[in-house]
Amino acid sequence: MRAHLEIERRFLVRDRSVVRGTEAIEIAQAYVFADERTLLRVGRRDGGWRLTVKDTGSGLVRREYHAPLPEEFGAALFASPAVRRSVKRRHRITYAGRVWLVDVHRGGPVLAEVELSTRDEALTVPSWCGAEVTGDPAYADHALAREASE
């Protein structure tokens, strides 16, 4: 398993109509562990389960590792009463030559994220974006996840 270096900026979406008419995939995730430095999650998308380990880094730059999981293992982890779960619909929107991922969280905010090649890479932010929330722990996916009993 190799580390992927993720350099990502995140924004609140002020104009939710940006996703109207675009295709989306559903992503279901369960957070097995998350603290201020590391998270461990299991997720299902495109018909398969995968395990992700992510260091929280600076919020802008993080290392992440992915590994596929057998169906039974992923389903068992996701169903555990000890996890926090999230479900979101992810839309891909191209703007100014970049692919933006717009996540509509079930029962939560709409967030846009874009991956960069370098920490200081120039970025044109779309007008449908609002405040930048990169590194804000309140908008981390694991913070938006719900207790399994909810």
Side-chain angles (χ1 to χ4, degrees), residues 54-141:
K54 217 181 242 199
D55 75 21
T56 55
S58 68
L60 176 65
V61 180
R62 301 176 295 189
R63 283 186 312 259
E64 62 182 22
Y65 305 85
H66 302 284
L69 291 176
E71 178 66 27
E72 315 79 46
F73 194 73
L77 279 172
F78 190 81
S80 169
V83 302
R84 296 174 56 87
R85 292 189 193 99
S86 74
V87 178
K88 61 188 177 185
R89 303 227 7 113
R90 172 164 285 172
H91 303 260
R92 295 171 61 89
I93 298 173
T94 302
Y95 179 83
R98 294 185 185 274
V99 174
W100 288 74
L101 303 177
V102 178
D103 291 339
V104 179
H105 291 263
R106 187 178 293 168
V110 178
L111 297 167
E113 60 187 51
V114 63
E115 286 206 23
L116 304 174
S117 300
T118 64
R119 175 187 295 268
D120 57 354
E121 188 173 344
L123 179 66
T124 302
V125 179
S127 62
W128 39 265
C129 284
E132 183 166 6
V133 294
T134 303
D136 184 335
Y139 292 100
D141 282 350

Side-chain angles (χ1 to χ4, degrees), residues 15 18 27 37 57 69 103 106-107 128 131 142 150:
D15 180 2
V18 70
I27 300 173
R37 294 190 332 210
L69 291 176
D103 291 339
R106 187 178 293 168
W128 39 265
H142 67 275
E150 290 181 30

